[in-house]
Amino acid sequence: IVEVASPSTENYDSSDKLTMYKSIPTLEEYVTVAQRMPYIMASYKKEKHLWQDTVAEDLNDSIYLQSLDISIPLNKIYRGVNFED
């Protein structure tokens, strides 16, 4: 599941909603993409109740999605996005 979190939902998406999604037995990975700044968190299920979080927060970084075995550069994900100062 990939969520693009708006400024008004990003706290909920990365806390309560993430907890609910982690209870889905078949879910392997949950990715949250922030709108207001370059920030992506990928939560990957390693075991039944063990999750590993990976964070990328610089446009020069890449985020690795373990369930797909790929790395995606943030500058491609956020291409064309202008962040406010």
Side-chain angles (χ1 to χ4, degrees):
I1 296 175
V2 176
E3 294 266 358
V4 178
S6 69
S8 64
T9 66
E10 62 187 13
N11 286 336
Y12 174 70
D13 291 340
S14 64
S15 60
D16 293 342
K17 191 183 243 185
L18 175 59
T19 300
M20 287 186 292
Y21 279 142
K22 284 181 176 181
S23 70
I24 300 171
T26 57
L27 181 66
E28 292 181 19
E29 195 158 20
Y30 176 72
V31 180
T32 306
V33 180
Q35 285 185 17
R36 62 184 176 91
M37 63 181 176
Y39 182 89
I40 299 177
M41 183 180 74
S43 296
Y44 177 76
K45 182 171 28 177
K46 295 181 77 160
E47 297 175 21
K48 186 175 182 179
H49 296 289
L50 179 62
W51 289 77
Q52 175 183 334
D53 294 338
T54 303
V55 173
E57 52 191 341
D58 186 282
L59 289 174
N60 295 316
D61 291 343
S62 292
I63 189 74
Y64 179 67
L65 303 180
Q66 294 192 40
S67 61
L68 300 174
D69 192 25
I70 60 170
S71 288
I72 306 172
L74 268 65
N75 60 13
K76 288 192 178 195
I77 294 170
Y78 287 105
R79 182 180 24 208
V81 176
N82 294 317
F83 298 103
E84 296 179 16
D85 294 329

